[in-house]
Amino acid sequence: MELLERKDAKEERKLPKNVRQIGEPGTGPKVLIEDYVYTYLHQMAKSNLTCIKTAVLVGRVEEEFGVYIQGAVEVDMGQEIKNWFTHEHWRDIFKEVQTWFEGQEVIGWYMANPGFPPVLTEEIRSLHARNFSKSIYTFFQTDVLDGEEVFYMRKEKGLAPLSGYYLYYEKNDPMQAYMSQKKGGMGIEPEGVLKDRAAARFRSAMQEKKEQTTQKKMMAFLYTSCMFLVMVILVIGITLVNNYDRMSNMETAIHQISESLEEEPQEAEEPTEAVMAVPANDGQEGVDDTPSMEEVVLQENQQAAIAEETQDEPAEEPEEAPKEEPAEEAVPEEVPEAAPQEEAAPEPQRYEIKKGDTLLEISRARYGTDDMVRRICELNGLDDGDIIYVGEIILLP
């Protein structure tokens, strides 16, 4: 807290260090009430909830800051406000102040009316104006049943409520002695032990501040940790996304390469199919009737020539006996018959391998026999008939 100094009767006074703010005091003169005084006023109001309780506030005035309430003197002035603060009342008040709070001055007054909220009536305004003429004097009004309390101070337009005040803690021996006397010399506590409540409350306030500081540090640490974790998660997420994109691009590239590799063998096989289709058009191995008959006719002619030579016939006769004519006639007669078979021979067909296909099953399904497996292998240049791939195109004779 900022220290404000004032020299009064060659004594230097300072603002208390242990202060707790109640409400929003705002700017202008402020009210500071000592903790023992605050406690005594509330105890006095609760001691009898059926009547109005009044007291005079004493302390000191700091022109640059406000008023310090350091004590309170209970005054029984009755229940009629118009009869308050008579000469007899003031005589008793000054006597009590001189006895218990020597060196302090009257700086305001207090009123507790249980069950009635704090309200400034015209009667209270005029009473305050007559008996507390200085602008720095204060008025404290409470309702202990509803827990309402308001400090008032004179403003430009008259007595007006303050939005807040300060509660400060110090030893305050005069107020402790006055409270003990009011309890019949039993001290402040019932057992007669005078406790330093200010110190206890100060320790409690310091402990609360310490706990709040610890909580703030913990919250700051947790906030920093959370932010760090969020950053780590973001970095990991960005890294995973980048790696996923790279893997996707790599997978796409591998797929394109595999497709290009699959297309190249097919393009290389097409000329082979065309080349292999030529002998299939000339004649298949299964259609061998024409070449075999020509050989038979030639063999018969050779045998006839040999027989004639053995019979010692002139060597020139074989030239005259072209008994090959029947054979020649037979040959052209049969050749036209074979020609339609060659033209009718089916061209090799393209077949796409499906899942579960084998050359043996294809041969059985297409030709009704197992013997065409070898022909299919030869036609397609396959060394092993058991190795075929789904999607592969082969030629079928």
Side-chain angles (χ1 to χ4, degrees), residues 37 40-41 55-58 69-74 101 110 175 178:
V37 181
Y40 172 72
L41 293 176
V56 173
L57 306 177
V58 297
I69 303 174
Q70 296 175 296
V73 176
E74 183 179 359
F101 303 100
Y110 167 79
M175 191 63 206
Y178 180 79

Side-chain angles (χ1 to χ4, degrees), residues 325-358:
E325 293 179 0
E328 292 176 358
E329 293 176 359
V331 171
E333 290 177 359
E334 294 180 1
V335 170
E337 294 177 358
Q341 292 181 359
E342 293 178 358
E343 294 177 359
E347 295 182 359
Q349 297 182 358
R350 296 166 63 87
Y351 179 79
E352 182 179 356
I353 301 298
K354 299 177 179 60
K355 187 175 181 180
D357 283 348
T358 62

Side-chain angles (χ1 to χ4, degrees), residues 26 77 94 115 138 158 161 172 210 241 254-255 268 295 298 309 327 377 397:
M77 295 183 291
F94 285 125
T138 185
N172 200 357
K210 185 177 180 181
V241 170
I254 293 173
H255 182 68
E295 291 176 356
L298 292 174
E309 290 177 356
C377 290

Side-chain angles (χ1 to χ4, degrees), residues 139-157:
F139 170 50
F140 188 26
Q141 188 178 14
T142 65
D143 178 10
V144 293
L145 291 180
D146 293 335
E148 297 183 16
E149 55 187 27
V150 181
F151 273 98
Y152 300 89
M153 191 170 287
R154 187 173 296 176
K155 302 291 184 180
E156 295 178 357
K157 296 182 180 180

Side-chain angles (χ1 to χ4, degrees), residues 166-187:
Y166 295 97
L167 187 67
Y168 72 97
Y169 306 89
E170 63 182 14
K171 194 172 183 180
N172 200 357
D173 292 334
M175 191 63 206
Q176 292 187 46
Y178 180 79
M179 293 171 68
S180 177
Q181 184 270 341
K182 282 296 182 181
K183 291 191 176 183
M186 298 300 294

Side-chain angles (χ1 to χ4, degrees), residues 303-326:
Q303 291 176 359
I306 294 169
E308 292 176 354
E309 290 177 356
T310 53
Q311 294 177 2
D312 298 332
E313 293 182 356
E316 297 177 356
E317 288 181 0
E319 295 178 358
E320 295 178 358
K323 292 183 180 180
E324 297 177 359
E325 293 179 0

